[in-house]
Every structure is written in structure tokens, then in C-alpha cells.
Amino acid sequence: MTNSTLETINNRRSTRSFADKKIDREALEVISSSAYKAPTGMNKQTWKFTVVQNKDLLRELYTYIAEKQNRGSSYNFYNADTLIIATGLKDNPFSVEDCACALENMFLAAESLGIGSVWINQLNNLNDDAGFRSLLSKIGITDAYNVYGSCALGYPAADAKTTPTPKNEDVISWYL
């Protein structure tokens, strides 16, 4: 049994090598709008999504993260064209799960458009860092919100790995 949704799910891969090619606004609107169509705990919808395509802002973010987390000078979100930062209200107990569902929607939407994606976790670990909060405030993310994940987007580079990684299929139990 197959359909276009299942094909998108089965074909999606994490892209860790992006081409130097800009994603157009229309595609970014499709991808980002798929985020708020995801389910949320108790339908609270206390999230925000910040689309960063400005190269200077991206450089500030990845340079700060590289320094704070000792990632080396080559760390750069895999040279992604765009980063969509998923944030949720700090006091919502479902923010982690809500943002995870939204990020998966964005990964699948990107795949359906031929755009690569990869989850970037490093921002989550800096929510209590004053310097990082200062960078977040530059892009309109207030102290009421924490970062719970980010979606790096871009067109896959020619050398991007496209073969699937082996999946552990022995994770489903049946009691029918």
C-alpha cells in the first residue's frame, strides 16, 4: 500500500550538505505554514516559528553556538540556506512535543518540494545563556519562549548522502 504521503515519509533523509542556492519565499511559506498545522497538546498552539535566511544573522547564530559548544570553526548548520527556529512558551508543559510535531511537518513539507532538511538541536541547549538570548532578541524571540528545535533547509549539494540509513524494524509489538 502506498500513496504520496507515505512516499514522502519513506524518502525523507537528513541532509547534511547543502548547495549554495536560495530557497524562494513561496516554498518557505509552504514549509513554515505546515508547522502550525501540526497537533498541539490541548490545542494550546503556544508556539512561534522564526524563519532566518539572512546570511549575517545565520553566521552570528552558528558562530556563537560553535564557540559556546566547542564545535570548531567549520560548524555552520551544514551551510543551510535557511533556518526555521521552533519556539514555545516556557510555561507550556507541552512545548517540546508541540515543536517536535511541527518540525516533522516542516521536514516532510520540504521533502515534498525537493528541499533538503535536517534537525538542528544545538540551539536548545543555550536557552539560559545570556549571550544567546541577546541573539534571539535580535530576531524577535522574547524571554517568554524557549527554543525546542530548528529546521535547517536547503537544496541538497551534489555530494549529499541520499542512501537511507538502516532502520531498526524490530520496534513494533503486536497484540491483536
Side-chain angles (χ1 to χ4, degrees):
M1 183 181 308
T2 189
N3 61 42
S4 61
T5 301
L6 294 174
E7 286 178 21
T8 299
I9 291 169
N10 290 329
N11 290 333
R12 196 211 66 76
R13 305 280 180 270
S14 292
T15 301
R16 291 183 175 87
S17 181
F18 294 103
D20 188 18
K21 180 179 176 187
K22 187 174 177 139
I23 302 170
D24 66 46
R25 173 84 183 228
E26 182 181 10
L28 289 175
E29 287 175 0
V30 168
I31 294 166
S32 60
S33 70
S34 72
Y36 64 75
K37 294 173 185 162
T40 61
M42 300 178 68
N43 199 29
K44 289 184 181 250
Q45 301 180 46
T46 60
W47 50 19
K48 291 188 184 240
F49 306 97
T50 305
V51 181
V52 182
Q53 195 175 54
N54 178 291
K55 294 296 182 194
D56 293 331
L57 289 172
L58 286 170
R59 187 176 305 104
E60 278 187 75
L61 284 168
Y62 66 66
T63 299
Y64 190 82
I65 291 165
E67 289 172 8
K68 289 300 274 191
Q69 297 178 352
N70 298 314
R71 295 193 157 271
S73 60
S74 64
Y75 181 78
N76 66 357
F77 304 142
Y78 306 105
N79 197 39
D81 175 68
T82 305
L83 188 71
I84 302 178
I85 303 169
T87 59
L89 280 178
K90 289 179 182 180
D91 63 359
N92 179 356
F94 306 114
S95 283
V96 171
E97 295 84 355
D98 294 350
C99 288
C101 288
L103 285 161
E104 180 66 6
N105 272 13
M106 289 190 283
F107 298 143
L108 294 174
E111 173 65 28
S112 75
L113 298 174
I115 296 169
S117 65
V118 65
W119 188 305
I120 301 291
N121 279 317
Q122 291 74 29
L123 285 73
N124 321 23
N125 302 324
L126 295 171
N127 281 309
D128 296 326
D129 180 272
F132 182 65
R133 293 308 311 192
S134 176
L135 286 174
L136 292 179
S137 70
K138 287 175 80 171
I139 55 175
I141 300 173
T142 69
D143 288 343
Y145 288 82
N146 273 340
V147 176
Y148 292 107
S150 301
C151 176
L153 297 167
Y155 291 97
D159 66 347
K161 183 179 174 185
T162 58
T163 45
T165 56
K167 298 293 182 186
N168 180 3
E169 296 179 15
D170 190 27
V171 295
I172 301 173
S173 298
W174 295 83
Y175 301 92
L176 304 174

